[in-house]
Amino acid sequence: MKKTFLIIFIFILNHFLSAQNTSTHESFEENIPKGISATGGNLELDSKRIKDGNYSLKWNWVSNDTLVFKTSIGYHPQRPPLTLPVMIKNN
C-alpha cells in the first residue's frame, strides 16, 4: 500500500512540476502594444493573415531591421522533466 501511494504521489508531483509553463499572449485587436517596435521598418495591423481574432501584426521590414520586444513574450527555457529515484523494497 505504501509503495503504491509513493508511486502515485511521484507521478502526480512530476505532472504538476512539469506543467508550470506560463504563456503570454499579445492581442493586436485594438492597437500595436507598447513595447513592440521595429528599428528601421514599420509595424501595422493586418486583417489578411490572422491566427486568432481579427487582426495580426504586420512587419514591413527593411534591410538590417530588427523587431524589438520591450515586453514579456512568455519565453521560458525548457527544463528537463523531473525524474525522482524510486526505491521499491519487496517484503
Side-chain angles (χ1 to χ4, degrees):
M1 178 72 174
K2 287 183 181 180
K3 61 183 168 181
T4 303
F5 175 77
L6 178 64
I7 292 171
I8 292 171
F9 176 75
I10 290 171
F11 280 119
I12 291 172
L13 180 65
N14 188 26
H15 171 73
F16 282 112
L17 291 177
S18 64
Q20 290 182 354
N21 295 335
T22 59
S23 64
T24 300
H25 180 79
E26 292 291 347
S27 174
F28 303 112
E29 294 305 306
E30 296 178 12
N31 56 16
I32 299 171
K34 291 182 173 142
I36 301 177
S37 61
T39 59
N42 68 324
L43 304 176
E44 63 184 70
L45 298 179
D46 183 32
S47 61
K48 292 181 183 175
R49 294 171 184 87
I50 57 173
K51 181 176 179 183
D52 294 319
N54 297 316
Y55 295 98
S56 63
L57 181 66
K58 182 177 181 180
W59 176 21
N60 296 309
W61 63 275
V62 294
S63 180
N64 296 319
D65 196 2
T66 302
L67 186 60
V68 180
F69 289 87
K70 292 183 180 177
T71 181
S72 175
I73 58 172
Y75 171 76
H76 298 281
Q78 185 175 359
R79 296 181 305 205
L82 177 66
T83 55
L84 300 173
V86 178
M87 295 180 66
I88 299 175
K89 181 179 177 184
N90 289 331
N91 293 333

